[in-house]
Amino acid sequence: MNPGDRVRVDRADRTYEGVLLPSSTDEQFVVKLEGGYNVGVSRDGADVSVLEEAVYEIDSNGDGDGDSDDETTTDDTDVDSAVEFDDDLPTISLISTGGTIASTVDYRTGAVTAQFDAEDVLRAVPDLAGRANYRGRVVANILSENMEPPIWQDLAQAVHEEIENGADGVVVMHGTDTMQYSASALSFMLETPVPIVFTGSQRSADRPSSDNVMNAVSAVEAAKSDCAEVLVCMHASESDDVCALHRGTRVRKNHTSRRDAFETVGAQPLGTVDYHNETVSFRRDYQQRGEVDLERSDALESDVELLKFTPGMDPAFLDVVEGADGLVIEGTGLGHVHTDLIPRIEELVADGTTVVMTSQCLEGRVCDRVYDTGRDLLDAGVIEAGDTLPGTAKVKLMWALANEESVAETMQTSIAGELQERSVPWE
Amino acid sequence: MNPGDRVRVDRADRTYEGVLLPSSTDEQFVVKLEGGYNVGVSRDGADVSVLEEAVYEIDSNGDGDGDSDDETTTDDTDVDSAVEFDDDLPTISLISTGGTIASTVDYRTGAVTAQFDAEDVLRAVPDLAGRANYRGRVVANILSENMEPPIWQDLAQAVHEEIENGADGVVVMHGTDTMQYSASALSFMLETPVPIVFTGSQRSADRPSSDNVMNAVSAVEAAKSDCAEVLVCMHASESDDVCALHRGTRVRKNHTSRRDAFETVGAQPLGTVDYHNETVSFRRDYQQRGEVDLERSDALESDVELLKFTPGMDPAFLDVVEGADGLVIEGTGLGHVHTDLIPRIEELVADGTTVVMTSQCLEGRVCDRVYDTGRDLLDAGVIEAGDTLPGTAKVKLMWALANEESVAETMQTSIAGELQERSVPWE
């Protein structure tokens, strides 16, 4: 029984049929079901039968026909020539952190936790061939809901090393659940002379509607572009034609399941990748390749929380952050909470917690000069984060507390495009 | 010195110039500044000088010219005839809870905390004349960030009484910060044979860009319509042409300051009011006037919290809800949290807390059958709320725990249009 085999697993009155995947644990089988999703089944007490053995030949010449005949060809999609370093092509580092898009790669290569090399990547997504020289690297293999600040630091270090070692661009494969938080983290942690492009997949590779190939190919094209920023590259619409390029600090997963779930909040995306023409274009100014030197400041103050205020909220939530370094509040409207909470917030500030206000409206700036509640919050020492998205503000505050002297000023200044609107709430 | 006078207030090195407003407290002056916003200044130690006395004549015939000459007219916008009960017009109850739109009314009538009558309303917004017979009522006079579940109950009772006493429609004037929560609350608490229309104002009356008149007039037109649902009526665009009618359970304030801040999430609004043509039209089916009998079930379980999960969240937030009746989690993606939190959630459920999953994506259904984390959450006893908005889910859970036997089934069933998408996350 090998990965790739079609199997049936019976356990505890339930039956799963699908393709056996390589698993990172000894405790369970992972089966890719018909529907395209993976299920983990405990090995303990499970009956497994192989329905069909995998017939898996490496398409070593990348012509897509699955054989390895001796075609002589100058086709530059030829895998062998791509895997051999091509001086005429840029070098792109592919870094995996896990998630649906990485599980695709894993499925075909078996490289779940190990370093994966150029050949693995090209086998997984043959369309990548001929576009770049590739280097592969695994930083984590987690579901992205399990992403944690220390992994952001590992990721920043890995990206930094790759760029230092000559990568002309970096593609980070990441689960979609928390991609916006990780992209924000890298936006603050790294000054980069080359593109750093996050991509992921809303539908796994086995499904006809999978977005993984187009997203991966588009991310590589974006990583070859002139835009030296941290970007998120995902489907721009439900069609397989254009990917959007979002600034890492302004992007949000705005739908649970659609392929075009990711949107730039309050603006058009920074740019697009036309999948068929292989052209990358930008709508607004961006940081050019080589404009800044590579620099990493990846310290984080981890004791920072985000709290969303809703009517009737138990004030005891504020007790949890007693003694914390930072608190981001997701208030209502222009940046408000129930007036009764303000004295408690004032105490937190007095005790040394930096409290930052954002809005659950998501679009538009907070402005606490307008109404009484806001003025009282400012008097209590709360810092306004403009139109910084609440999740981005949390990541930024973790970073600012560890790296900047004036946290208040930093939170009100755009470091990586996170502040977008001008400061007039009644335009 | 009287409300309406133009004054200068000097206090503690700061100077405020503007129009003196009636104030609900003896402790401070409230001054409407040039910019259109109100500022509260403590009376203690303040120097006030009147720059210009108010010249305020009641336009008793409502013809807009400000005099009270003896014009004989059959114009049906005549205030006197409107204030006298007109058998040919429907009766609309205007209920005020506070907020920017109500402060407009207060400013001109002085009726800040008192019951206000038809004449007050027409003086405040003369454009309302001739459209209906009006009854006025004040339930609260608060900034809406201070809205609390007990006031939802007062409001439900007031609306219920107004309808019982023959109102053909109800308009609720409400601050915009938490309007969506209150509209959700009434959507669950009341079965209504007539329209209940929330409206508010993003810019106060003194500002050229004020939206209060158009929103109030459009809300009255919607309250006269055939749609017996709880609606939110606010500007549909930045122009003064069309108001959108949103279902109370699907609406969200999506911008801190724009006049068209309110949007129906994941769909077009249910209907529109053309301000100039005075026509109300609907895009989809709705509950017709008279289709159901008036019924009120306004019990609420107040010990229900909402918690937004973000990477690095302190698990201690879950301790705050120990022993609570309910918890709504705003998870990532299809409805996930860090795997480490799941055992604690399982304990909460075992201890009797109803835990409901929603998504911070806002659009699209949660679906916890797809990935391991989700299946573990379902095994822990978490209930999926489909595509119910997180804030709406909190209000609904408060209501369901107090009124419904099967809370799990209720949370997965659309009671008032809060569930919108079909149950297929990979369409």
Side-chain angles (χ1 to χ4, degrees):
Chain A
M1 186 178 60
N2 293 302
D5 289 354
R6 198 167 159 68
V7 297
R8 188 174 70 208
V9 183
D10 293 291
R11 185 173 182 284
D13 295 338
R14 290 171 79 170
T15 300
Y16 307 89
E17 270 193 34
V19 175
L20 187 69
L21 298 191
S23 168
S24 56
T25 80
D26 290 338
E27 287 159 22
Q28 49 178 223
F29 298 110
V30 180
V31 180
K32 195 170 277 285
L33 304 176
E34 290 291 329
Y37 286 104
N38 303 347
V39 63
V41 186
S42 172
R43 284 175 191 260
D44 185 35
D47 269 345
V48 187
S49 48
V50 175
L51 302 176
E52 194 186 336
E53 279 187 34
V55 180
Y56 189 64
E57 291 177 11
I58 294 172
D59 178 16
S60 67
N61 64 357
D63 62 5
D65 63 9
D67 60 21
S68 47
D69 50 16
D70 286 317
E71 290 173 344
T72 51
T73 171
T74 55
D75 182 347
D76 67 1
T77 63
D78 185 281
V79 168
D80 293 328
S81 66
V83 170
E84 283 166 27
F85 189 85
D86 181 341
D87 269 337
D88 294 336
L89 290 177
T91 297
I92 302 295
S93 285
L94 302 170
I95 299 184
S96 174
T97 65
T100 303
I101 192 164
S103 76
T104 306
V105 175
D106 303 341
Y107 159 52
R108 304 204 193 183
T109 64
V112 177
T113 51
Q115 196 100 357
F116 60 99
D117 66 15
E119 203 167 321
D120 297 324
V121 171
L122 293 179
R123 267 185 248 169
V125 185
D127 287 357
L128 289 176
R131 298 175 188 270
N133 301 303
Y134 296 102
R135 292 205 299 248
R137 182 162 179 162
V138 175
V139 167
N141 184 36
I142 56 166
L143 299 163
S144 81
E145 58 268 32
N146 290 334
M147 183 54 68
E148 290 177 344
I151 309 179
W152 295 336
Q153 293 171 314
D154 294 344
L155 182 57
Q157 195 180 326
V159 172
H160 186 267
E161 280 174 15
E162 290 298 316
I163 298 172
E164 212 165 34
N165 293 334
D168 298 302
V170 177
V171 171
V172 179
M173 291 181 288
H174 197 287
T176 58
D177 267 40
T178 64
M179 191 190 288
Q180 66 213 46
Y181 299 93
S182 299
S184 286
L186 262 64
S187 300
F188 297 117
M189 288 169 156
L190 293 173
E191 292 200 47
T192 177
V194 306
I196 301 169
V197 187
F198 281 72
T199 192
S201 176
Q202 286 278 84
R203 316 275 172 86
S204 60
D206 312 39
R207 291 170 50 197
S209 66
S210 178
D211 49 348
N212 73 318
V213 170
M214 174 168 144
N215 289 353
V217 165
S218 300
V220 164
E221 291 300 329
K224 291 159 59 183
S225 81
D226 198 34
C227 177
E229 299 203 15
V230 176
L231 303 170
V232 165
C233 175
M234 294 286 290
H235 266 57
S237 73
E238 280 285 53
S239 306
D240 283 329
D241 48 6
V242 175
C243 272
L245 296 173
H246 310 276
R247 273 212 166 102
T249 55
R250 291 296 311 173
V251 68
R252 201 170 179 284
K253 184 173 178 178
N254 277 345
H255 197 285
T256 60
S257 61
R258 286 174 64 111
R259 303 193 299 171
D260 56 346
F262 283 78
E263 293 174 338
T264 295
V265 175
Q268 290 293 308
L270 186 62
T272 52
V273 181
D274 185 307
Y275 182 46
H276 300 298
N277 298 340
E278 305 183 357
T279 51
V280 182
S281 45
F282 293 92
R283 284 194 185 84
R284 296 193 300 278
D285 288 343
Y286 52 84
Q287 182 171 282
Q288 304 273 322
R289 185 180 280 276
E291 199 175 317
V292 299
D293 290 332
L294 179 66
E295 212 167 301
R296 174 166 55 106
S297 50
D298 62 4
L300 290 176
E301 205 64 76
S302 62
D303 196 5
V304 172
E305 299 300 330
L306 181 142
L307 193 54
K308 177 171 182 167
F309 166 74
T310 54
M313 185 190 95
D314 188 341
F317 280 121
L318 288 174
D319 298 338
V320 175
V321 292
E322 195 172 294
D325 296 308
L327 169 65
V328 172
I329 299 175
E330 198 172 312
T332 59
L334 288 165
H336 303 137
V337 295
H338 195 297
T339 313
D340 290 352
L341 300 176
I342 299 178
R344 186 74 187 95
I345 291 169
E346 196 164 9
E347 280 173 27
L348 288 172
V349 173
D351 288 350
T353 302
T354 302
V355 181
V356 170
M357 182 59 73
T358 62
S359 176
Q360 59 193 251
C361 294
L362 301 177
E363 286 194 44
R365 294 179 71 90
V366 298
C367 181
D368 279 317
R369 286 162 295 142
V370 178
Y371 291 101
D372 286 346
T373 306
R375 281 188 295 271
D376 291 344
L377 283 163
L378 292 180
D379 288 345
V382 168
I383 297 163
E384 298 170 298
D387 70 338
T388 310
L389 293 169
T392 300
K394 179 183 175 180
V395 175
K396 183 179 178 182
L397 183 55
M398 297 173 82
W399 176 83
L401 285 164
N403 295 282
E404 297 290 322
E405 271 186 27
S406 172
V407 173
E409 196 187 316
T410 301
M411 293 308 293
Q412 293 172 85
T413 309
S414 191
I415 304 291
E418 70 278 14
L419 278 153
Q420 188 170 258
E421 287 208 356
R422 64 209 161 86
S423 175
V424 185
W426 47 84
E427 68 274 16
Chain B
M1 187 177 63
N2 293 302
D5 290 352
R6 201 171 156 65
V7 296
R8 188 176 70 208
V9 183
D10 292 293
R11 187 176 180 283
D13 294 337
R14 291 172 78 171
T15 299
Y16 307 89
E17 272 193 33
V19 175
L20 186 69
L21 298 189
S23 167
S24 58
T25 81
D26 291 336
E27 287 159 24
Q28 49 178 222
F29 298 111
V30 180
V31 180
K32 193 169 279 285
L33 303 176
E34 291 290 330
Y37 286 105
N38 303 346
V39 62
V41 186
S42 173
R43 284 177 191 260
D44 188 34
D47 269 342
V48 187
S49 49
V50 175
L51 303 176
E52 193 185 337
E53 280 188 32
V55 181
Y56 188 63
E57 290 176 12
I58 294 172
D59 178 17
S60 68
N61 66 355
D63 62 6
D65 62 8
D67 60 22
S68 47
D69 50 14
D70 286 317
E71 288 175 345
T72 51
T73 172
T74 55
D75 181 349
D76 67 359
T77 64
D78 184 282
V79 167
D80 292 327
S81 66
V83 170
E84 284 166 27
F85 190 85
D86 181 342
D87 270 337
D88 293 338
L89 291 177
T91 295
I92 302 297
S93 286
L94 302 171
I95 299 183
S96 173
T97 64
T100 303
I101 193 165
S103 75
T104 306
V105 174
D106 302 341
Y107 159 50
R108 304 204 193 182
T109 63
V112 178
T113 53
Q115 196 101 357
F116 61 98
D117 65 16
E119 205 168 321
D120 296 326
V121 171
L122 293 179
R123 266 185 248 169
V125 185
D127 288 357
L128 289 176
R131 297 174 187 271
N133 300 302
Y134 295 103
R135 292 204 301 247
R137 182 164 177 161
V138 175
V139 167
N141 184 35
I142 55 166
L143 299 164
S144 81
E145 57 267 33
N146 290 333
M147 183 55 69
E148 290 176 344
I151 310 180
W152 294 337
Q153 292 171 315
D154 294 344
L155 182 58
Q157 194 180 328
V159 172
H160 186 268
E161 281 174 14
E162 291 297 316
I163 299 172
E164 212 165 34
N165 292 335
D168 298 303
V170 178
V171 171
V172 179
M173 293 181 288
H174 197 288
T176 57
D177 267 40
T178 63
M179 192 190 287
Q180 66 214 43
Y181 299 92
S182 299
S184 286
L186 262 64
S187 300
F188 297 117
M189 288 169 156
L190 293 173
E191 292 201 49
T192 178
V194 306
I196 301 170
V197 187
F198 280 72
T199 192
S201 177
Q202 287 278 84
R203 316 274 171 88
S204 60
D206 313 38
R207 290 169 51 197
S209 65
S210 179
D211 49 347
N212 74 318
V213 170
M214 175 168 144
N215 289 353
V217 166
S218 300
V220 164
E221 291 300 329
K224 290 158 61 182
S225 80
D226 199 35
C227 175
E229 301 203 15
V230 176
L231 302 170
V232 165
C233 175
M234 294 287 289
H235 266 57
S237 73
E238 279 285 53
S239 307
D240 283 327
D241 48 7
V242 176
C243 271
L245 296 172
H246 310 276
R247 274 210 166 104
T249 54
R250 291 296 312 172
V251 67
R252 201 169 181 285
K253 184 174 179 177
N254 277 344
H255 197 284
T256 59
S257 61
R258 284 174 65 111
R259 303 192 301 171
D260 56 345
F262 283 78
E263 293 174 337
T264 294
V265 174
Q268 290 293 309
L270 186 62
T272 50
V273 182
D274 186 305
Y275 182 46
H276 300 298
N277 299 340
E278 304 183 356
T279 51
V280 182
S281 45
F282 293 92
R283 284 194 185 83
R284 298 193 299 278
D285 288 342
Y286 53 84
Q287 182 171 282
Q288 304 273 321
R289 185 179 279 277
E291 199 174 318
V292 300
D293 291 332
L294 179 65
E295 212 167 300
R296 174 166 55 106
S297 50
D298 61 6
L300 290 176
E301 204 65 75
S302 62
D303 196 6
V304 172
E305 300 299 330
L306 180 143
L307 194 54
K308 177 170 182 168
F309 166 74
T310 53
M313 187 189 92
D314 187 342
F317 280 121
L318 288 173
D319 298 338
V320 176
V321 294
E322 194 171 292
D325 297 308
L327 169 66
V328 172
I329 298 175
E330 199 173 311
T332 60
L334 288 164
H336 303 137
V337 294
H338 194 298
T339 314
D340 290 352
L341 300 177
I342 298 177
R344 186 74 187 93
I345 291 170
E346 195 163 10
E347 282 173 26
L348 288 172
V349 173
D351 288 350
T353 302
T354 303
V355 181
V356 170
M357 183 59 74
T358 62
S359 176
Q360 60 194 251
C361 294
L362 301 177
E363 285 193 46
R365 295 180 70 90
V366 298
C367 181
D368 279 317
R369 287 163 293 142
V370 178
Y371 291 100
D372 287 346
T373 306
R375 282 188 295 269
D376 291 344
L377 283 163
L378 291 179
D379 288 344
V382 167
I383 298 163
E384 297 170 298
D387 69 339
T388 309
L389 292 170
T392 300
K394 179 183 176 182
V395 175
K396 183 179 179 182
L397 183 55
M398 296 173 83
W399 176 85
L401 284 164
N403 294 281
E404 298 288 324
E405 270 186 28
S406 172
V407 173
E409 196 186 316
T410 302
M411 292 308 294
Q412 293 172 86
T413 309
S414 191
I415 304 291
E418 71 278 14
L419 279 152
Q420 188 171 259
E421 287 207 356
R422 63 210 162 83
S423 178
V424 184
W426 48 83
E427 68 272 17

